[in-house]
Amino acid sequence: MSLSFHSNKECLYLQVYEHYKNLIMERRIPAGSRMPSLRKCSAELKLSRTTIENAYLQLAADGYIVARAQSGYYVTNIAEQKPVSTTSWHANLPSIQYDFASNGVDHESFRFDLWQRYIKSALRQSDRLLSYGEPQGEADLRQVLADYIRQRRNVNCSADDIVIGAGVQSILNLLCPLIHDRKTVSFPNASFVQGSTIFSDYGFEVQYRNKDCDVIYVSPAHMTKWGEIMPVSRRMELVHYAAAKGSLIIEDDFENEFVYFQRPTPSLFNLAGGHGVVYIGSFSRLLLPSIRLSFMVLPPSLSRKYAAVAERYSQTASKAEQIALCQFIRDGHLTSQTKKLKKLYAQKLKALENEVRNTFGSNCTIQTGAAGTSLALTIPYARTGLELKKEARMHGMSLLILEENAATITILLSCSSITTDDFAPACQLLSQLLNK
């Protein structure tokens, strides 16, 4: 494959996206064809795998390809459904007014002025910024994180056990080579495409809900999208079973900060005594999704393996943001931010639940958990979820369909990116669409 791409890194993935979109719409890649693997495409185009993956994810989001578990990406029949056009199908749609599907954050939840001060302070440290970041992450931030998670999650580790990266995918790209001797990985479900894709690219056989796999990926504080939490009894059972089988647990502690209605449960890392568990944390929900800072805590055996190869890798996270976050945490702002968000989202989720009950009455079933920012609404509906999503989008509403059958549909409603004042009109609009 001989192609030329402009060197602007910010638009490279869009160039790859447009290239494959045109091939698909011109039927030069027929419907049902398997797309080149991320690794193969990266090698052929001489671009990073992250660039290719971002392009594929955008193609999937726009309906040009679809991911199949343990198999890869396949071309849909979208070219047969619409004429070839360089104009995106959603170009003329209204802007989203009611965003029930977003994993974003409430605009009022974050003090942009405060964060700007810390970024400006970091940018004044000119001597530090003249060099590349440490491959493992800035030492002072790793020490602050070690203290923070010991106090907040009882995760006892040293700064040398922590590895920082720009998002969970970057972290997994560092982890997979360390555990290449393992062959199978299990995820709770197929929704975490970004994670399963990384493992698949490294040759792992991806399975679901199979505790006999070599690697078990779990999010104990986010077992379901509506916030169910893994109880302590199941955590203990998983830790003991994995230890007996010699399996590695990857604990993605996503949304552990948003536990409203019960005391936070112990981390798997803590219950396992720091052995056989990789602990992953992120700040996208506490701060902003655009602040791409995540970290993992490696158990002793993997920490030693990483130390031996650390210098082969470059740091993917912004050095300036690492410096800013370090001081932000030291000054106590992350702790106060967590308290603020727990109160904010607990109130918003309760208000959304009340509004949904007032709107749909006894005609619906509502599922909520002890954490998170979403609820699941199950309601009678005779048409397809795709029809509902498209109709909602035409009216400026974004929805995420969890499940559908001949008689009912289950919709995930997130309160994080929609204002409380918009709950009533949004629910009324949703009711009208469901009753059409």
Side-chain angles (χ1 to χ4, degrees):
M1 185 182 299
S2 177
L3 294 169
S4 174
F5 293 99
H6 300 296
S7 60
N8 185 349
K9 292 184 178 179
E10 292 184 356
C11 69
L12 276 176
Y13 89 93
L14 290 176
Q15 294 177 51
V16 176
Y17 164 85
E18 288 294 336
H19 168 70
Y20 279 115
K21 184 187 81 169
N22 291 336
L23 290 179
I24 292 169
M25 295 307 294
E26 293 167 6
R27 296 180 176 84
R28 291 163 64 188
I29 304 181
S33 300
R34 187 178 186 274
M35 293 288 287
S37 70
L38 296 179
R39 182 176 298 175
K40 180 179 179 182
C41 189
S42 174
E44 289 182 344
L45 299 184
K46 296 181 173 56
L47 297 173
S48 73
R49 188 161 52 192
T50 300
T51 297
I52 303 302
E53 184 169 20
N54 287 338
Y56 276 25
L57 289 173
Q58 188 63 51
L59 286 166
D62 288 348
Y64 294 100
I65 61 176
V66 63
R68 295 181 186 172
Q70 306 178 40
S71 183
Y73 288 95
Y74 288 81
V75 177
T76 67
N77 64 347
I78 190 170
E80 301 167 8
Q81 299 174 357
K82 60 175 71 174
V84 176
S85 172
T86 57
T87 303
S88 177
W89 70 271
H90 50 71
N92 297 320
L93 290 178
S95 60
I96 295 177
Q97 183 177 2
Y98 305 126
D99 188 0
F100 276 133
S102 173
N103 282 325
V105 298
D106 189 292
H107 187 273
E108 301 300 321
S109 69
F110 188 69
R111 285 190 57 188
F112 287 90
D113 60 332
L114 180 63
W115 181 248
Q116 286 168 358
R117 291 207 299 269
Y118 280 92
I119 288 292
K120 289 179 180 178
S121 175
L123 293 175
R124 286 194 291 269
Q125 300 186 37
S126 54
D127 289 344
R128 287 187 69 177
L129 296 178
L130 288 173
S131 61
Y132 289 103
E134 297 181 38
Q136 192 167 342
E138 297 303 293
D140 51 354
L141 175 57
R142 287 187 283 114
Q143 185 57 61
V144 165
L145 287 176
D147 296 337
Y148 181 81
I149 59 178
R150 181 174 61 252
Q151 297 165 8
R152 303 287 301 183
R153 299 294 290 137
N154 204 18
V155 171
N156 292 295
C157 67
S158 75
D160 292 335
D161 298 323
I162 295 177
V163 182
I164 294 169
V168 173
Q169 279 191 315
S170 294
I171 292 295
L172 295 180
N173 269 313
L174 295 174
L175 176 62
C176 283
L178 301 178
I179 56 175
H180 64 88
D181 54 324
R182 299 173 183 270
K183 304 303 180 184
T184 58
V185 59
S186 173
F187 286 85
N189 53 61
S191 65
F192 188 28
V193 176
Q194 293 87 345
S196 61
T197 298
I198 296 294
F199 279 93
S200 179
D201 285 346
Y202 278 96
F204 285 79
E205 179 185 335
V206 177
Q207 300 181 21
Y208 300 100
R209 300 183 67 83
N210 183 359
K211 63 181 181 179
D212 290 324
C213 283
D214 301 326
V215 180
I216 305 170
Y217 196 108
V218 291
S219 299
H222 193 73
M223 293 299 291
T224 61
K225 289 186 177 293
W226 57 89
E228 289 186 342
I229 294 175
M230 182 184 291
V232 177
S233 58
R234 280 189 61 194
R235 295 180 186 226
M236 290 296 300
E237 177 187 350
L238 176 59
V239 166
H240 291 318
Y241 191 87
K245 295 280 293 184
S247 301
L248 176 72
I249 297 174
I250 300 177
E251 178 182 15
D252 187 341
D253 217 11
F254 182 70
E255 287 200 339
N256 80 78
E257 301 90 354
F258 304 120
V259 178
Y260 313 122
F261 308 117
Q262 67 179 55
R263 292 178 62 85
T265 48
S267 65
L268 296 172
F269 190 97
N270 175 34
L271 294 175
H275 295 278
V277 178
V278 174
Y279 180 92
I280 293 179
S282 176
F283 299 99
S284 59
R285 295 290 280 162
L286 281 176
L287 302 177
L288 294 171
S290 56
I291 299 176
R292 304 297 294 159
L293 284 172
S294 299
F295 67 94
M296 65 177 169
V297 181
L298 296 172
S301 59
L302 292 180
S303 185
R304 290 191 294 270
K305 289 182 69 174
Y306 174 79
V309 299
E311 293 302 321
R312 301 177 188 175
Y313 296 97
S314 297
Q315 178 54 246
T316 56
S318 161
K319 189 173 186 177
E321 288 189 342
Q322 291 186 64
I323 295 171
L325 180 60
C326 177
Q327 195 59 47
F328 187 86
I329 298 174
R330 277 178 177 164
D331 292 346
H333 293 300
L334 189 60
T335 298
S336 59
Q337 174 77 356
T338 302
K339 292 178 181 177
K340 175 183 177 180
L341 290 185
K342 286 182 67 172
K343 181 179 179 181
L344 172 67
Y345 286 131
Q347 292 173 343
K348 288 188 70 175
L349 190 58
K350 188 64 179 177
L352 177 59
E353 182 181 358
N354 290 337
E355 193 59 52
V356 170
R357 290 193 187 282
N358 290 338
T359 302
F360 298 99
S362 59
N363 198 34
C364 71
T365 300
I366 299 174
Q367 293 172 278
T368 59
T373 59
S374 303
L375 61 83
L377 167 67
T378 302
I379 193 163
Y381 187 67
R383 294 185 292 158
T384 68
L386 182 60
E387 288 178 286
L388 178 62
K389 284 183 66 174
K390 285 188 174 181
E391 210 163 74
R393 186 62 188 85
M394 291 292 293
H395 289 80
M397 176 181 287
S398 178
L399 294 177
L400 178 62
I401 309 300
L402 291 182
E403 187 178 349
E404 56 183 305
N405 55 45
T408 64
I409 191 168
T410 300
I411 310 165
L412 188 75
L413 302 180
S414 169
C415 72
S416 60
S417 294
I418 182 170
T419 66
T420 305
D421 291 341
D422 282 337
F423 286 167
C427 287
Q428 288 298 325
L429 174 59
L430 180 58
S431 177
Q432 294 170 15
L433 297 175
L434 286 167
N435 290 321
K436 270 192 173 183

